[in-house]
Amino acid sequence: RKEVEQDPGPFNVPEGATVAFNCTYSNSASQSFFWYRQDCRKEPKLLMSVYSSGNEDGRFTAQLNRASQYISLLIRDSKLSDSATYLCVVTLGTGGFKTIFGAGTRLFVKA
Amino acid sequence: GAVVSQHPSWVICKSGTSVKIECRSLDFQATTMFWYRQFPKQSLMLMATSNEGSKATYEQGVEKDKFLINHASLTLSTLTVTSAHPEDSSFYICSARGLTATDPSYNEQFFGPGTRLTVL
């Protein structure tokens, strides 16, 4: 079983659609959780951190369920510019600090 | 946010040559830098964790004698791909995190723009 698993994708959606990405992680000792966005042939960029209380940033909402070891990202009113690969990222411990990336889910938003 | 630079951004070399990639944190000090490799249509795979002033910790399956890492200062880490072969062609990305638990950048990794290596 992979340490971080994401929806395999790709997702093809029209502009304005709502898209949900799911992610599960296997290590219950995981401490920090993030969603990154990666455009083609570019480095990943932090989209948002994920907290147990849930957090929202404009059209983006992230949720964490520690009991289920599940993370989600919701994009509302999707734009063409949202087309990218979304990476679920989990870190283990603040001391050892190992970062594990999910394989990513590719999103295509079409006009 | 904090800025991490990489140099070169791309390199093409002949098989058998060595290539050095630099990773610099420009506006913060980084005790720890990470080196990743990404093959086309795959996710980032951690190669090694580089701690300033000590030996790097390599992930399973990554040859430490082939991928030499030097982290001589709090703002610079280098990755040298020795005797590169076509199968080493990949996108190499470094990231850095801040100095201490109170540093705002501590729990976030800042990525460099990546270096695309092509070995002929």
Side-chain angles (χ1 to χ4, degrees), chain A residues 14-107:
Chain A
E15 270 188 295
T18 296
V19 188
F21 298 100
N22 301 308
C23 173
T24 57
Y25 59 95
S26 61
N27 193 324
S28 58
S30 301
Q31 287 211 335
S32 302
F33 309 89
F34 308 90
W35 283 102
Y36 277 75
R37 169 195 170 128
Q38 185 175 25
D39 292 290
C40 191
R41 302 174 80 86
K42 299 282 189 181
E43 77 276 20
K45 293 188 184 295
L46 180 65
L47 182 63
M48 56 199 307
S49 302
V50 190
Y51 307 109
S52 297
S53 55
N55 48 309
E56 185 174 316
D57 182 3
R59 297 182 293 109
F60 299 84
T61 301
Q63 294 276 354
L64 165 65
N65 185 319
R66 285 188 181 269
S68 304
Q69 296 182 192
Y70 168 82
I71 307 160
S72 66
L73 174 68
L74 188 75
I75 304 177
R76 291 180 298 279
D77 188 23
S78 53
K79 313 290 185 190
L80 294 175
S81 57
D82 293 333
S83 297
T85 297
Y86 290 84
L87 303 169
C88 175
V89 180
V90 172
T91 64
L92 302 176
T94 54
F97 200 85
K98 181 172 180 177
T99 300
I100 302 168
F101 284 79
T105 303
R106 189 83 170 89
L107 171 66

Side-chain angles (χ1 to χ4, degrees), chain B residues 20-40:
Chain B
K20 180 189 277 189
I21 303 170
E22 292 186 349
C23 177
R24 293 181 185 272
S25 56
L26 297 185
D27 53 359
F28 70 104
Q29 292 181 316
T31 49
T32 306
M33 290 184 172
F34 305 87
W35 286 97
Y36 296 86
R37 181 167 53 183
Q38 186 175 33
F39 292 106

Side-chain angles (χ1 to χ4, degrees), chain B residues 39-53:
Chain B
F39 292 106
K41 299 185 178 181
Q42 295 186 26
S43 189
L44 279 75
M45 296 298 296
L46 179 66
M47 298 176 66
T49 301
S50 167
N51 292 298
E52 185 264 340

